[in-house]
Amino acid sequence: MTNKRVDDTPPVLVIGASGAVGRHVGLQLAASGVRVRTLTQRELLDPASLEAAVQGAGAVLLGWPFPTADGATEAVGVLAREVGRVVFLSSSVPGRPDGGVEALLARSGVPHTVLRAHGFAAALQWAEEIRAGGAVQGYGGAAGLNPVDERDIAAVAVRALVENGHDGARYVLTGPESPTQAEQVEMIGAAVGRPATWQEIPRETARRRMSATGRLPAAVDGALDFLHARIAAPEPATTTVQDLTGHPARSFRAWATDHAALFR
Ligand SMILES: NC(=O)c1ccc[n+]([C@@H]2O[C@H](COP(=O)([O-])OP(=O)(O)OC[C@H]3O[C@@H](n4cnc5c(N)ncnc54)[C@H](OP(=O)(O)O)[C@@H]3O)[C@@H](O)[C@H]2O)c1
């Protein structure tokens, strides 16, 4: 991708522009001279609002921040009618509706790219406990996960949005290594300059806490099974970020260093 201004390029609609990845997609597109349009909350599930927002857009970044695929048929239908390219921010997390949205996109015939991202590095679910100076309580401290930096996901998304040659691709995006959850907490502590530790809780306690946040039972069990499996088999890394952007994927330690202020 070049840095030249491309004012004649149709704008890109960024759905979820305030989100962890969407905000970087907007910034990186704007830095490349691509016009950016955003969608404010609620419009994604309202086909008429979505239709108005996509008018004249050349491409769309789609995220599906909902627990079910309800409304996805209508939303994908609008995108398939109105735009020439969709980049879908998906995941391989069990119990999430992303697979259903991917299937709808495939059936719709709209040219699209799927970004199957591992968990975002943004470990803000631990921020309150680390700020309070206590241990982070959770299940699966020994699970080796491979978080991917939101800026790297965004860099891949920008390429898929503005370059040709990505339609039909399914990119699995990971960080470069798989520290355990307990190690990730320690890395945040090191970045903050104050030790942070993991405190393991029983699966049933974790299940009750996750259910209390309104997550569907299938999503809760899927997430806990996933963590259990990653104790014996840490998540593998892909080279997709490096292959597509030309720079190595950022490590979780680097993410923690750059975001230490969020945990102080
Ligand atoms: N979280 C992860 O670790 C992770 C990992 C891999 C893939 N993903 C995928 O990334 C996508 C987004 O994930 P996330 O929810 O975790 O991201 P997020 O960073 O929480 O962002 C969600 C975005 O969606 C917007 N939004 C919420 N409700 C909306 C509505 N009704 N209409 C329009 N926009 C709405 C939010 O806007 P407001 O700020 O206005 O609410 C926000 O900008 C999903 O497709 C998910 O599967 C997530």
Side-chain angles (χ1 to χ4, degrees), residues 56-239:
V60 172
L61 176 74
L62 172 67
W64 196 256
F66 311 111
T68 73
D70 293 352
T73 303
E74 295 77 4
V76 169
V78 170
L79 299 182
R81 273 199 308 280
E82 303 291 341
V83 293
R85 176 177 292 170
V86 174
V87 174
F88 177 46
L89 178 52
S90 187
S91 75
S92 19
V93 178
R96 289 266 320 138
D98 302 292
V101 178
E102 286 187 24
L104 287 169
L105 285 165
R107 279 202 294 277
S108 77
V110 67
H112 66 282
T113 308
V114 171
L115 310 183
R116 285 194 194 127
H118 278 211
F120 299 163
L124 303 182
Q125 73 277 12
W126 298 330
E128 202 174 317
E129 287 164 297
I130 292 176
R131 275 198 298 264
V136 170
Q137 297 190 342
Y139 172 77
L145 305 184
N146 199 324
V148 54
D149 193 300
E150 303 77 48
R151 296 165 292 186
D152 290 336
I153 305 174
V156 172
V158 166
R159 277 162 177 76
L161 285 163
V162 305
E163 291 177 355
N164 292 325
H166 301 285
D167 293 342
R170 306 275 178 272
Y171 294 131
V172 178
L173 306 180
T174 76
E177 59 204 12
S178 306
T180 66
Q181 293 200 93
E183 288 168 343
Q184 291 175 35
V185 167
E186 285 167 19
M187 287 176 192
I188 295 172
V192 168
R194 192 180 61 229
T197 54
W198 181 271
Q199 185 184 339
E200 188 74 11
I201 59 173
R203 178 179 169 126
E204 197 41 45
T205 309
R207 193 174 191 286
R208 269 201 310 277
R209 290 185 186 178
M210 290 163 79
S211 301
T213 65
R215 290 171 74 172
L216 297 177
V220 170
D221 288 325
L224 293 170
D225 288 346
F226 173 81
L227 288 173
H228 182 72
R230 298 287 81 83
I231 294 172
E235 285 190 300
T238 68
T239 58

